[in-house]
Amino acid sequence: MPLISVIIPCYNEGSNIEHCCKEIREAVLPLKAEYDIDLEILLVDDGSTDSTAEKARELSERDGRVKFLIFSRNFGKEAAIFAGLSHARGDYICIMDADLQDPPSMISAMFKKLKGENLDCVAARRLSRKGEPLIRSLFARTFYWLISRISDTKMQDGARDFRIFTRKVADAILSVTEYNRFSKGLFIWVGFRTEWVEYPYAERFSGITKWSFLKLLKYSFEGIIAYSTLPLAISSFAGMLFCFISIVMAIYYALKALIYGDPVTGFPTLICIILLVGGLQLFCMGILGQYLAKTYLEVKNRPKFIIAYTNIKDKIP
Ligand code: UDP
Ligand code: MG
């Protein structure tokens, strides 16, 4: 019998997961009737400080189809997704948020599309950013605009991590073992035939968003660093440009002094130029440093997550 694994990264979602699991079970019922498909729910508790872990245990005691992975601390949503993927046994895999902003009722239609059109992945995209703070949505749009221009990995604006895909895609994602993970890009990078479905914005069932503006900004820089080396090229280009300008200026002033015997003037200009070039050098070094820091993290090869407790016995190698 085929199996669908639903992976839910949870960070302080104690008030949501019960309702979320209930809705998933209901959403999968028509699929059970039509495709005779079994369900497994993987709750990945990303080091929550609320009742998420207890709730996950409780839910798994009540329903054997619910599995839990409890992290030793908060490793981030990307790590939770990776942990879920590496423990999911399903032939089909679904990733969704715990807060019901990704409506479980869509699972059935998305699965039917996947099977009906013989696709490898069906992903969800939000129709509008309504309800989001203006500044946040402005930055998000700018990010997608920028990344689509500076990277070969074309990411869709409004794309969520909510998607259903086949085992082939899951194995491909798992084969990318990098530490600095950016799922939206990874799914595009691995390829496969993907179709998008659109859905309107939904409010959180309860609780608050775990992504502060700063956290999102950091995440978007990580996305840029992981999928584009253009910033490095820009800094080399700026370096070359400034060298060229300085050579031209040196020749110009040398000739001017030789021909007209001009006294040395323009100290304020000199100071401005020194500051500008100094600043630019630091900026470029900063860019270099960012790439180096990411490389350092990769080279250390630390585990992406540490599981403190789980009810999954047969560990997948
Ligand atoms: N999440 C997580 N670890 C984190 C932050 C968030 O596992 O460090 C989970 C969170 O519990 C939720 C999903 O990622 O299931 C999306 O988070 P959230 O709803 O806060 O993001 P938003 O929908 O506001 O973008
Ligand atoms: Mg949410």
Side-chain angles (χ1 to χ4, degrees):
M1 198 186 283
L3 175 73
I4 181 166
S5 306
V6 181
I7 299 170
I8 312 177
C10 313
Y11 180 49
N12 293 342
E13 305 282 5
S15 53
N16 290 327
I17 51 173
E18 184 166 3
H19 203 81
C20 186
C21 288
K22 181 170 158 270
E23 289 216 357
I24 291 169
R25 276 191 290 258
E26 282 164 13
V28 173
L29 276 180
L31 296 181
K32 170 94 182 143
E34 198 170 331
Y35 299 93
D36 197 22
I37 194 162
D38 247 348
L39 169 73
E40 115 179 311
I41 299 178
L42 277 145
L43 298 170
V44 187
D45 172 29
D46 184 14
S48 303
T49 47
D50 71 347
S51 60
T52 306
E54 290 85 72
K55 275 269 161 59
R57 284 172 198 269
E58 207 182 293
L59 286 165
S60 77
E61 271 161 28
R62 269 193 265 152
D63 182 348
R65 293 175 298 177
V66 178
K67 312 275 162 57
F68 60 80
L69 295 163
I70 298 172
F71 282 2
S72 58
R73 65 167 171 85
N74 180 245
F75 280 88
K77 185 182 178 183
E78 291 292 345
I81 292 176
F82 185 76
L85 279 175
S86 44
H87 287 81
R89 293 178 302 121
D91 307 283
Y92 302 95
I93 293 167
C94 170
I95 299 176
M96 64 185 308
D97 289 359
D99 56 8
L100 297 166
Q101 278 187 308
D102 301 334
S105 56
M106 280 176 66
I107 292 179
S108 160
M110 283 166 77
F111 185 82
K112 282 180 185 162
K113 192 174 169 70
L114 186 86
K115 290 289 275 182
E117 294 176 29
N118 210 7
L119 299 166
D120 297 302
C121 179
V122 175
R125 182 169 56 197
R126 240 169 41 188
L127 265 178
S128 78
R129 295 189 170 274
K130 203 180 81 203
E132 210 178 50
L134 209 66
I135 184 97
R136 193 166 148 160
S137 112
L138 184 78
F139 268 81
R141 275 180 215 283
T142 313
F143 168 75
Y144 285 108
W145 176 84
L146 188 71
I147 197 98
S148 69
R149 270 157 190 79
I150 65 172
S151 166
D152 295 334
T153 309
K154 304 288 173 228
M155 294 174 214
Q156 300 259 358
D157 188 7
R160 304 281 300 168
D161 289 323
F162 183 23
R163 49 179 80 224
I164 296 185
F165 45 93
T166 55
R167 166 61 38 196
K168 257 192 308 195
V169 179
D171 287 342
I173 295 285
L174 284 170
S175 73
V176 184
T177 53
E178 63 193 34
Y179 189 85
N180 181 30
R181 300 184 82 77
F182 192 81
S183 282
K184 288 185 182 90
L186 271 184
F187 276 98
I188 295 176
W189 188 87
V190 297
F192 294 103
R193 285 182 318 135
T194 303
E195 283 289 334
W196 294 85
V197 289
E198 291 180 335
Y199 70 102
Y201 174 80
E203 285 291 335
R204 257 181 165 271
F205 180 68
S206 73
I208 51 158
T209 176
K210 310 301 174 320
W211 295 87
S212 65
F213 181 69
L214 270 179
K215 205 170 158 186
L216 273 176
L217 200 64
K218 192 168 158 264
Y219 187 58
S220 59
F221 282 133
E222 275 170 13
I224 290 174
I225 288 169
Y227 287 95
S228 171
T229 46
L230 193 77
L232 284 175
I234 290 176
S235 53
S236 337
F237 176 75
M240 282 193 300
L241 184 74
F242 272 70
C243 279
F244 178 73
I245 294 174
S246 75
I247 291 168
V248 171
M249 278 173 72
I251 294 171
Y252 170 75
Y253 282 112
L255 288 178
K256 205 174 157 197
L258 279 175
I259 298 167
Y260 302 104
D262 263 359
V264 182
T265 53
F267 276 106
T269 337
L270 212 60
I271 288 168
C272 288
I273 291 173
I274 289 172
L275 282 180
L276 176 74
V277 175
L280 193 81
Q281 276 176 343
L282 283 178
F283 176 69
C284 293
M285 268 166 63
I287 293 180
L288 205 68
Q290 287 297 320
Y291 282 89
L292 192 68
K294 293 295 169 206
T295 316
Y296 180 55
L297 278 178
E298 297 292 344
V299 171
K300 279 202 279 191
N301 206 12
R302 288 194 179 162
K304 291 169 202 56
F305 57 86
I306 295 169
I307 295 171
Y309 309 98
T310 176
N311 65 341
I312 301 176
K313 290 182 186 72
D314 46 337
K315 169 108 182 64
I316 296 164

